[in-house]
Amino acid sequence: KSNYSSKNKNPSINQLQNQLQKSEQERYQLQNDVQKLQLRLQKAHSDARNIASQNKWLEKQTSRSDQILSRAVEVERKKANEEVERVRSEMKGVLERERLMMRGNSNNHNGIGGGRSMIGGGNDVELNRGPTRRVMDGVKIVRDVDDYDEDDMLDERGRPPWRAM
């Protein structure tokens, strides 16, 4: 009985060899798993470095794009402002001409100024100040104040006497 009971307490060599073989297989499998996990970890680190590098590159590109866009917007804004200023100046000129034409029409219709038309957009106050010099088609035109009597000296069309110089 003692022999049998010692066999039960002590595993046999075959059982130990089987356990050893199973343990070695498990160890081998675990080593393979560790190697696979290490490769996956290395790839993950490499991917993380690549992504970080790409993020930096993309940030630089975004910054450059923002700068280019800001410059383009500024250039277009400047062009638009210049265009607005040009149109504003043209409109001022048109309004001034219309205003002068309305003054001329108002003078002709209600008898003020004897129906004279304004040359160069001047008004009666300017005409009566003194010799007025104007250039039309490259010719200087001067009105003599001393010779001019507003009631007597109108030409056949009702205009003041101008002469080319």
Side-chain angles (χ1 to χ4, degrees):
K1 286 186 178 178
S2 66
N3 223 2
Y4 180 72
S5 61
S6 68
K7 282 187 182 180
N8 284 340
K9 289 183 181 180
N10 294 327
S12 72
I13 294 181
N14 284 338
Q15 286 177 337
L16 289 175
Q17 285 177 340
N18 284 340
Q19 278 185 336
L20 177 64
Q21 190 176 14
K22 284 181 185 178
S23 296
E24 285 180 359
Q25 285 177 350
E26 284 180 28
R27 183 174 151 245
Y28 176 76
Q29 186 64 38
L30 290 173
Q31 285 177 340
N32 282 339
D33 289 346
V34 167
Q35 286 178 347
K36 286 178 186 177
L37 290 173
Q38 285 177 338
L39 289 174
R40 285 178 60 191
L41 182 61
Q42 287 176 352
K43 185 175 181 340
H45 281 293
S46 175
D47 289 347
R49 282 191 301 271
N50 287 340
I51 289 172
S53 174
Q54 287 176 353
N55 281 345
K56 286 181 183 178
W57 182 81
L58 289 172
E59 286 174 3
K60 288 179 184 177
Q61 291 299 319
T62 301
S63 175
R64 288 180 190 146
S65 296
D66 287 345
Q67 289 172 353
I68 290 169
L69 180 62
S70 294
R71 286 184 201 132
V73 166
E74 190 60 35
V75 165
E76 290 302 317
R77 183 176 290 133
K78 184 177 178 182
K79 285 180 184 177
N81 288 341
E82 288 172 355
E83 180 69 13
V84 165
E85 189 59 37
R86 185 186 63 77
V87 168
R88 183 179 290 137
S89 295
E90 288 177 8
M91 289 305 296
K92 281 181 182 177
V94 167
L95 291 172
E96 183 65 21
R97 284 191 298 276
E98 287 179 355
R99 184 179 64 80
L100 292 174
M101 286 174 30
M102 293 300 287
R103 278 188 182 172
N105 287 340
S106 128
N107 286 344
N108 287 335
H109 287 107
N110 51 13
I112 297 172
R116 292 176 295 172
S117 65
M118 266 44 78
I119 296 176
N123 58 33
D124 288 345
V125 173
E126 291 175 8
L127 290 174
N128 291 325
R129 280 190 195 159
T132 306
R133 298 179 188 270
R134 295 194 173 101
V135 176
M136 292 182 69
D137 298 327
V139 176
K140 290 182 183 177
I141 300 174
V142 178
R143 189 194 79 166
D144 291 331
V145 176
D146 298 336
D147 297 346
Y148 180 66
D149 182 358
E150 195 168 6
D151 297 325
D152 297 342
M153 297 296 293
L154 299 177
D155 66 7
E156 62 276 356
R157 293 185 185 163
R159 296 182 186 158
W162 294 91
R163 32 176 208 167
M165 299 292 283

